[in-house]
Amino acid sequence: MAGKSSWVIDTHAQAALTLLDRYDSFLLDCDGVLWQGGEVVPGAAEALQLLTSLGKRIVYVTNNSTRSRKEYTSKFAKLHIQPDYRDIYPASYAAALYIAEQGARKAFVIGGEGLQAEIKAFGIDVVPGNSVPALTSEDDFCKLTVDPAIDAVVCAFDFGLSYTKIAFASLVLEKNPTSVFVGTSRDQYDQLLDRRIPGMTAGVAGIEATSGRAATIVGKPSTWLAATIMRDKGLDPRRTCMVGDRLDSDILFGNRSGIDTIAVLTGCTSLEQLLALKPDSEDRPTHVLTSFGLLAPPATSSL
């Protein structure tokens, strides 16, 4: 059963023997697996090239919502590959697809231009978070009006997250109670080199607390997202694995969806955390790989 056994793989020979024959398809997280901040993980580019040469299916699944799928392809230039944008599933696309499936026509959106572009691509009107006048008093809040046509609220990563945006999102859900409420993730933070950057937990939790509504999370570990990818790509779950650096999103995503999982140690999760997991933990990976770059042939890997 997926996620019920774990061992550390720390050589290329082990990685090739254990993983390459077992799996035909790889779902790859990006931050913490392929790159960390602006730096490519050593050997990651060569590992991708090897998987491609072997005819493996590769799908990129990231909770990053700042870019659209087409914009995301530029991130792969450092890896010397040019994936089809349709093989990239950022949380921005997941949010847009989900609210479109729910029949949304107009959405209040906390998030960047990449997210807004994905939503607009489905023919959904966008009310950007930045369009709400900044609140400076309770009187300002009481003067706000909500368009009754808004039928979705989307909360994603936003460097400009503010009290005003959270307050207005909550007001939309109060005044338009049938609106769809979507969060892209509950990631608490991301690891960028030697420091942590806050995730979107604060934004989603703030809206939930005020509105009394629970967000539908459409990024990892959403089983809806996993089912969508497996269906879209025609993948066999028995021959597919999820590779990621976060236990509470990447590994849980695979385990809950019935596919094997590989945790890497180049991002948010340490070996100590993995060794502390109980045998029946829901977020226990099937395999532990010290780095995705270990899949690279020894002659080209810097590990």
Side-chain angles (χ1 to χ4, degrees):
M1 184 178 295
K4 293 305 180 183
S5 62
S6 173
W7 59 92
V8 178
I9 300 171
D10 58 7
T11 68
H12 168 73
Q14 266 188 298
L17 180 65
T18 305
L19 306 177
L20 296 181
D21 287 341
R22 182 174 297 191
Y23 303 113
D24 299 322
S25 306
F26 291 78
L27 309 184
L28 301 181
D29 179 38
C30 298
D31 297 283
V33 175
L34 303 179
W35 53 71
Q36 191 182 72
E39 301 296 324
V40 175
V41 170
E46 294 82 3
L48 288 173
Q49 292 165 9
L50 174 63
L51 293 180
T52 300
S53 71
L54 294 174
K56 306 296 184 180
R57 299 285 301 277
I58 303 174
V59 181
Y60 304 94
V61 191
T62 172
N63 276 356
N64 191 314
S65 61
T66 58
R67 291 178 170 86
S68 68
R69 290 187 296 171
K70 290 183 178 179
E71 290 171 336
Y72 226 102
T73 58
S74 65
K75 282 280 287 186
F76 289 88
K78 291 183 178 181
L79 297 169
H80 308 294
I81 60 171
Q82 190 66 33
D84 188 318
Y85 76 92
R86 290 167 293 189
D87 290 332
I88 305 173
Y89 285 77
S92 53
Y93 174 70
L97 176 62
Y98 184 84
I99 66 172
E101 288 184 352
Q102 301 304 307
R105 291 292 177 263
K106 192 169 190 176
F108 176 67
V109 178
I110 298 175
E113 293 182 359
L115 170 64
Q116 295 176 33
E118 291 287 9
I119 293 173
K120 290 176 181 177
F122 282 95
I124 300 170
D125 292 335
V126 169
V127 180
N130 291 336
S131 67
V132 181
L135 299 177
T136 60
S137 68
E138 292 178 349
D139 286 343
D140 288 346
F141 179 73
C142 290
K143 292 175 183 176
L144 290 175
T145 59
V146 174
D147 183 347
I150 298 177
D151 52 9
V153 171
V154 179
C155 184
F157 185 86
D158 186 346
F159 278 109
L161 179 67
S162 65
Y163 180 85
T164 295
K165 293 177 183 180
I166 291 174
F168 190 76
S170 303
L171 186 62
V172 171
L173 295 173
E174 178 185 349
K175 298 301 182 184
N176 299 348
T178 60
S179 296
V180 180
F181 177 25
V182 163
T184 51
S185 82
R186 294 191 189 277
D187 290 355
Q188 297 175 339
Y189 65 90
D190 276 321
Q191 188 75 33
L192 295 181
L193 302 178
D194 63 344
R195 62 201 63 190
R196 293 180 177 184
I197 184 171
M200 270 314 297
T201 296
V204 173
I207 298 169
E208 288 179 325
T210 304
S211 67
R213 292 275 305 276
T216 297
I217 302 301
V218 295
K220 295 171 295 186
S222 166
T223 55
W224 165 83
L225 177 58
T228 296
I229 294 170
M230 303 301 282
R231 181 192 67 235
D232 287 354
K233 299 303 176 183
L235 305 182
D236 180 355
R238 296 166 299 181
R239 300 283 298 175
T240 301
C241 68
M242 173 70 208
V243 184
D245 68 310
R246 294 188 66 98
L247 300 180
D248 58 354
S249 58
D250 302 317
I251 304 308
L252 206 55
F253 174 72
N255 288 349
R256 286 181 174 176
S257 303
I259 61 177
D260 282 357
T261 52
I262 302 172
V264 297
L265 304 180
T266 49
C268 293
T269 302
S270 67
L271 180 59
E272 291 72 24
Q273 288 173 298
L274 287 163
L275 294 176
L277 290 173
K278 296 180 179 179
D280 59 350
S281 293
E282 191 180 14
D283 55 358
R284 184 181 180 90
T286 314
H287 312 281
V288 178
L289 191 63
T290 54
S291 171
F292 178 69
L294 280 179
L295 284 174
T300 57
S301 174
S302 59
L303 296 177

